[in-house]
Every structure is written in structure tokens, then in C-alpha cells.
Amino acid sequence: MAELEDDEAVVTERFGAESLVRPSADDLERAAEAALRPRRLAEFVGQRVVREQLSLVLQAAARRNRPPDHVLLSGPPGLGKTTLAMIIAAELGTSLRVTSGPAIQHAGDLAAVLSSLEEGEVLFLDEIHRLARPAEELLYVAMEDFRVDVVVGKGAGASAIPLTLPPFTVVGATTRAGLLPAPLRDRFGFTGHLDFYASDELERVLVRSAGLLGVELEAAAAAEIASRSRGTPRIANRLLRRVRDWAEVKGDGRLDLGAARRALEVFEVDARGLDRLDRAVLEALCTRFGGGPVGLTTLAVAVGEEPETVETVAEPFLVREGLVGRTPRGRVALPAAWTHLGLVAPAPQDTLFG
């Protein structure tokens, strides 16, 4: 145990503490991911149905020598929506313009982007569900009629000058497709939903990434990392980089099963992919509240986190894994949660009507 604590101190001091199993990524990590992204559709691992459908759309557009229909990609973060947008541009042999919904606060911001597009260019709108309403309305016309109305002047003397745009393709990405207004959703000719990856698909992702990183990854280590990656390639690649760090600092540089297990133990990612926050939520539910139900705010106070953090970071995976349930009265621990913590679930209590 003392040796493990020494390992943790060395690695944490060098690389910093982080939640390795969060599905989102900051700018620094996106830069690290860039070197691992596939460049062509044939290199993209997983998402077979979406990949085949998208391939048909792109090939048909190429034969007609016209830009393809607008594409909407939905699904949880970390599954490859941004990568697919880059691949679409690469397959079409054109450039990619990247922006996001939160970055466009006014219709004029979007008009400036649209008016600078070249023919056939791909415009990638990340988090498209967060577009401001005036920008949404401008985008409707641009996507359907390839024009924008530029307003000149103010007040009663204002006039709208139509500006014709060259044909282009919008690729929208969203983690919350239900928030997209129907008029915007209907303007996309192709919609693809990305699902979580199977373990064997994540192993293929890891083997490819290890080759690009120039490290030797044993099959058993790849399987171990994949099993803890929550079905998400971004998390798998993040864990791979941390295992590589441990192997370089404390091991011989080889990424074998022992290195994978020791590294992930240092970074507190257990065999099921749960991290410190996940286990804290389960332990609070089971040991402090007898399995629940307990309200979100009370649960967040018990684990020392903000309610939004518990709800958006920990809860989705715990619910998906059947460890936590959501009821009208609050969160409850399911039998699998007690088993995972090595505890015995209490017997159901009798009621007046039982």
C-alpha cells in the first residue's frame, strides 16, 4: 500500500489530478486528441451503421459533383462527432470551418461566418442546440435557400439586403437532440445517432492509438483499459495516455496488463470504470441514506460536490449501469450498487399495506 501511495504521489505531481472518466474535453486535451483522430472514414472504428450511411451520402454527392445534404450528428460526448465532421470535409476534399453554438450570440455573428464560406466548404457547428434564437432563424434560410438577409440601418429606416451564398454543407453536432427546434432539425438531410462502443471496438481504437503514440500495448492491457472506458473512445484514449505515463515513470515503458492495472489504480478508476466521485455517490446512498430515496441536493452535499456536477458527471453513467435509479422521491441505490461496494442490501421493509 505504501508503494502504491508513492506511485500516486509521483504520477499526480507530474501530471496533475483529473477525472479520467469524464466524457467532455478541454482545449488542451482536444489538442492531444488531434494526433489520434482518424483522417478517413475507412479508418474510423465503430459506429458501423452511421459510417455506412454516411459513406453512401458522401459518395452520391461526389458523383453528382454537388455538396451533400446537411448532416446532424447526435449522441453523448466523446464518441466521435467532431472527428466525423473532419472526416466529412476530408472525404469531400474541402476545408472545414469550425464554430459552436455558444460562440454565436447574435445573428450578425453567424452572418459573418456564412458570408465568408467558399463553395463546397463544410461548416461544423458544435453544440448546435445552444444557438441563440435569432441565429437559428438566420440559419434556417441559409441552409435551405443559401442566402442571408443583411440588415442595413436601424429603426424604421432599416432594410434587408439578400446576400446569395455559395452551396455549402452544415454539419451540426449535439448531445441533446431533443432541444433542437423542429424547423432546424428538419433542414438536415441526414441524421446519425452515435451509440456507446462495445469493448472489442474500444480495443481496436486503443491498438490504433498506441501505434500512433509509438508505444507497445499488449492485448490483455488493451482489454483491461477498454473494460474501464465506459464505452467512450475519448475516455479510452485518455486512460491509455495515463497508463503510458505510469509505464514511463514507474515501469519499463511497456504497456502490459500489470502496468494497466497499477496505473488505473493510481488514478482511482476501478474495474467497472467508476472513479472517486462515482463511488462517493454510491457510498453516500448506501451507507448514509440506507439506499434512498434521497434528493439530488442532499446527495450532492453529502459528497461535497455541486448538484449539477453530480447530475451531469456521475449520474448518467451510474443510471446507465443499473447502479442508481431515479424516482419521483429522489435517487435510490439499486442492488448492483450494493454488490459493487461489497455490501449487503437491506431487506425490503414491511409497510402497512404489505
Side-chain angles (χ1 to χ4, degrees), residues 47-92:
Q47 310 297 340
R48 181 184 61 82
V49 173
V50 173
R51 187 159 32 90
E52 291 179 356
Q53 294 173 342
L54 193 55
S55 177
L56 286 174
V57 171
L58 296 179
Q59 290 182 42
R63 292 189 178 187
R64 292 192 298 267
N65 197 28
R66 291 180 56 83
D69 288 343
H70 304 298
V71 175
L72 178 64
L73 302 172
S74 65
L79 299 186
K81 296 185 290 296
T82 301
T83 299
L84 281 175
M86 295 179 175
I87 287 175
I88 289 172
E91 294 284 354
L92 295 174

Side-chain angles (χ1 to χ4, degrees), residues 66-295:
R66 291 180 56 83
D69 288 343
H70 304 298
V71 175
L72 178 64
L73 302 172
S74 65
L79 299 186
K81 296 185 290 296
T82 301
T83 299
L84 281 175
M86 295 179 175
I87 287 175
I88 289 172
E91 294 284 354
L92 295 174
T94 187
S95 57
L96 179 73
R97 191 76 60 89
V98 180
T99 187
S100 67
I104 298 176
Q105 296 298 319
H106 307 285
D109 299 334
L110 182 60
V113 174
L114 293 173
S115 61
S116 64
L117 292 175
E118 298 179 358
E119 184 172 356
E121 198 167 8
V122 175
L123 173 63
F124 177 52
L125 279 169
D126 198 9
E127 298 184 90
I128 192 172
H129 61 276
R130 296 177 61 185
L131 272 176
R133 179 56 60 88
E136 279 181 3
E137 295 172 353
L138 180 71
L139 188 59
Y140 297 160
V141 178
M143 292 174 67
E144 190 164 2
D145 299 331
F146 295 108
R147 68 178 178 84
V148 293
D149 294 328
V150 180
V151 178
V152 179
K154 295 182 179 180
S159 60
I161 301 176
L163 176 64
T164 302
L165 302 174
F168 63 93
T169 299
V170 172
V171 178
T174 177
T175 56
R176 306 182 68 181
L179 295 183
L180 281 178
L184 179 57
R185 190 167 53 246
D186 292 344
R187 281 167 170 78
F188 287 96
F190 171 77
T191 299
H193 180 78
L194 277 60
D195 295 315
F196 289 102
Y197 281 56
S199 289
D200 62 321
E201 293 173 330
L202 288 178
E203 289 178 38
R204 290 162 55 197
V205 170
L206 288 165
V207 169
R208 178 183 178 277
S209 297
L212 294 174
L213 292 172
V215 295
E216 180 182 349
L217 177 66
E218 294 188 358
E224 185 72 18
I225 297 172
S227 69
R228 306 190 190 201
S229 299
R230 303 189 181 210
T232 306
R234 173 176 291 153
I235 295 175
N237 284 328
R238 186 185 298 147
L239 295 182
L240 173 66
R241 294 196 299 271
R242 297 294 78 82
V243 172
R244 177 195 60 177
D245 296 341
W246 188 94
E248 292 177 353
V249 173
K250 303 296 294 184
D252 58 4
R254 295 177 63 251
L255 277 61
D256 55 18
L257 180 59
R261 288 178 173 173
R262 290 296 301 277
L264 297 177
E265 188 175 358
V266 166
F267 286 102
E268 301 183 303
V269 179
D270 68 20
R272 197 162 180 170
L274 275 64
D275 69 354
R276 179 203 59 80
L277 176 59
D278 301 321
R279 289 190 298 274
V281 169
L282 293 186
E283 289 169 359
L285 271 174
C286 295
T287 62
R288 300 187 191 182
F289 302 107
V294 59

